[in-house]
Amino acid sequence: MRESFFDSSESGGVEVGSVRSGRRFPVFLEGGSHADDPRTPATQYVSAALEASGHACVHLDGTGQSVQWTNTTGQPISFVNVRAGIPDSASGDGDTGTLDLYVDGEFRQQLNLSSRQSWVYEGNGNYNTSDNQNPADGDPRVFWDESHDFVAGAPIPVGATFSLRKDSDNSASFYGVDSIDVENPPAPLTRPADSISITSCGAVADDTPTNGEADSGSVDSRAAIQNCIDQAQQQGRTLWIPQGTFYVKGTEGLHAQGIIIEGVGLWYSTVYRDVPVPNSTPLAALFDLTSCTVRNFHINADAVSRSTVGGDGGAMDTTGTDLTGSVDLPATGDWQSWATVTTHVTLPAGRQTLTLDQDNGGWNVNHLGFSADEPAG
C-alpha cells in the first residue's frame, strides 16, 4: 500500500483544489507540491498517513507553511470542521495548540486543536488497546481528531481562497491536516410551542471552549435535565435544549421514554458528558432512551479512550416496543452460508424505526426484507 505525506515548501503552501459545501474533502485530492513521507511509520501498518483519508495528508512543520482551498461551493462558508493532528505531550496526557485560518491571504482567526483524545500506544504488550497513553511503550496510533468552529467575521464568499497556516504563534512543533468539512448552517431553530426548556429546570449553559477536555468551572446540569425529562414525560411535551453547552458530570446518565428531545441545531446545542478519568465505574450511554425521537443537537465528551477506564460509555442506548420476542436462528455451518428466517410484526400507520436487538452473539445479517400480508379473502 502506497502512502503519501504532503510537505509544504518553506516558500508557500499546498494548493489542494476546491471544496463543496456539506462534504469532506481530503487534502490529497488535487494538485499541489508533495512528496512521500520520508520518515519511518510507527509500524508497517500504522502511521498518520495510513490513518488519514485516502492514506495521505499534509504536514506543516515550518513557520509560514500552509494548505489552501478555493470555495467553489456556490454558497458562502460560515462553518468549518478540520480533521487534524498535533503531537502528544511527553507525559501522554495530550496537548493543545492553535492553527491560523486565512481568507484570501488575510488572517481571520485561530482554530483550537488538541491531542488529548488521540495518541494511543500499542507497544510493550498493549496491542489493539484503546487505553494505553504511555509514550514510552511506543507504537502509537490514533493520530487524528476533529475541531470545528464558526468562521469569524463575514462568511467566506464564493470564489475566495481559504487556508490553514502555521504561524510563529502556533506553538505545536508540527500540524497534520487530513481533511476539511465546510458548511453554511441554517439559523438556529425556533423553540416549539408545546415544549419545556431544560433551562427552566435549572440547567446552565457554559460557553467556554472545551478543546478536548471539560471546563472545570462548568455547572453539572444532569439533575436539572433529568427533572425536565420527567416533567416532559408526565405532561406529554417536547424537551427543548436551547443554544449552549450543557454538562452532565459523573457516571450517571439520562433516562427518557416516549418523548421528543430536540435542540436548536447540532451547531448550536450541545450536551457534554464529563466523566473523571481514570474511571472504574461501569458506564451506560449518556442517553438511555425508549421510544423517543431525538434530533438537532450535538453530543460531546472528554473521554480519552473507547472504554470504561477512559470515560466512554457511548452516546445513546435506544430501545422500543418488542414486536417479536426472541426469534430462533438456525446454525448454517459457515459464515457465508445463509438461511432465511421469517417473522411477523404489526405496525401502526406512519413512519417507523425498526431495530434488531442482539440477544446473543454468533450470527451475521446479510439483509432485511419487508412485505405486507395479503388481506384475507
Side-chain angles (χ1 to χ4, degrees):
M1 181 181 294
R2 180 181 181 273
E3 59 173 322
S4 298
F5 204 109
F6 300 174
D7 288 281
S8 298
S9 66
E10 292 295 336
S11 59
V14 177
E15 169 68 50
V16 294
S18 62
V19 294
R20 301 174 189 171
S21 181
R23 291 184 58 189
R24 165 167 292 180
F25 281 77
V27 294
F28 72 97
L29 277 178
E30 297 184 36
S33 170
H34 63 272
D36 288 337
D37 182 8
R39 293 163 297 179
T40 303
T43 72
Q44 68 183 72
Y45 306 107
V46 180
S47 69
L50 284 173
E51 285 188 6
S53 306
H55 309 304
C57 52
V58 163
H59 183 78
L60 310 175
D61 61 4
T63 300
Q65 293 182 344
S66 64
V67 56
Q68 178 174 288
W69 299 265
T70 300
N71 179 11
T72 58
T73 65
Q75 59 183 305
I77 296 171
S78 58
F79 188 90
V80 295
N81 185 84
V82 179
R83 190 169 191 246
I86 62 174
D88 196 3
S89 65
S91 63
D93 295 327
D95 209 344
T96 59
T98 59
L99 190 60
D100 290 349
L101 172 67
Y102 283 73
V103 177
D104 283 337
E106 298 292 329
F107 173 79
R108 183 65 67 88
Q109 71 195 88
Q110 289 190 329
L111 300 178
N112 292 316
L113 304 178
S114 170
S115 59
R116 290 190 173 110
Q117 294 174 296
S118 53
W119 292 91
V120 173
Y121 299 89
E122 292 194 324
N124 198 23
N126 291 287
Y127 174 71
N128 207 29
T129 182
S130 65
D131 299 320
N132 184 36
Q133 294 182 302
N134 180 12
D137 288 330
D139 292 345
R141 64 180 179 88
V142 190
F143 302 99
W144 301 103
D145 201 357
E146 296 188 6
S147 176
H148 60 261
D149 205 349
F150 282 93
V151 174
I156 302 170
V158 174
T161 63
F162 59 101
S163 58
L164 298 176
R165 174 175 167 176
K166 176 175 166 42
D167 285 328
S168 58
D169 57 348
N170 302 137
S171 58
S173 59
F174 68 82
Y175 295 82
V177 180
D178 173 20
S179 59
I180 190 167
D181 296 295
V182 298
E183 296 180 88
N184 189 31
L189 296 172
T190 302
R191 176 180 170 181
D194 190 21
S195 64
I196 179 170
S197 172
I198 61 174
T199 55
S200 70
C201 299
V204 178
D206 184 288
D207 295 325
T208 302
T210 54
N211 200 25
E213 66 176 354
D215 174 20
S216 60
S218 62
V219 173
D220 181 10
S221 292
R222 193 204 70 80
I225 297 173
Q226 186 62 58
N227 182 26
C228 249
I229 289 173
D230 296 342
Q231 292 184 40
Q233 291 175 172
Q234 294 165 5
Q235 300 169 22
R237 301 169 68 185
T238 294
L239 183 77
W240 179 247
I241 304 175
Q243 188 163 342
T245 298
F246 298 89
Y247 277 81
V248 174
K249 297 189 176 186
T251 56
E252 291 189 55
L254 300 166
H255 310 274
Q257 181 172 349
I259 62 172
I260 296 173
I261 303 175
E262 185 171 2
V264 179
L266 61 90
W267 307 272
Y268 310 104
S269 299
T270 298
V271 178
Y272 193 102
R273 190 175 205 179
D274 177 15
V275 177
V277 294
N279 171 60
S280 59
T281 302
L283 290 171
L286 172 59
F287 282 92
D288 178 19
L289 305 175
T290 301
S291 302
C292 289
T293 298
V294 181
R295 60 195 179 209
N296 299 325
F297 66 92
H298 173 222
I299 295 176
N300 202 352
D302 57 356
V304 295
S305 71
R306 297 178 180 177
S307 62
T308 295
V309 69
D312 184 21
M316 292 186 185
D317 285 336
T318 57
T319 57
T321 302
D322 188 346
L323 299 173
T324 65
S326 295
V327 177
D328 292 330
L329 304 179
T332 62
D334 186 84
W335 289 111
Q336 293 303 317
S337 296
W338 303 95
T340 299
V341 177
T342 301
T343 190
H344 289 80
V345 298
T346 300
L347 298 174
R351 182 177 178 178
Q352 306 294 325
T353 299
L354 299 182
T355 302
L356 289 180
D357 189 14
Q358 177 175 293
D359 295 326
N360 49 55
W363 53 276
N364 287 339
V365 175
N366 183 287
H367 66 275
L368 299 175
F370 300 91
S371 62
D373 286 340
E374 293 293 333

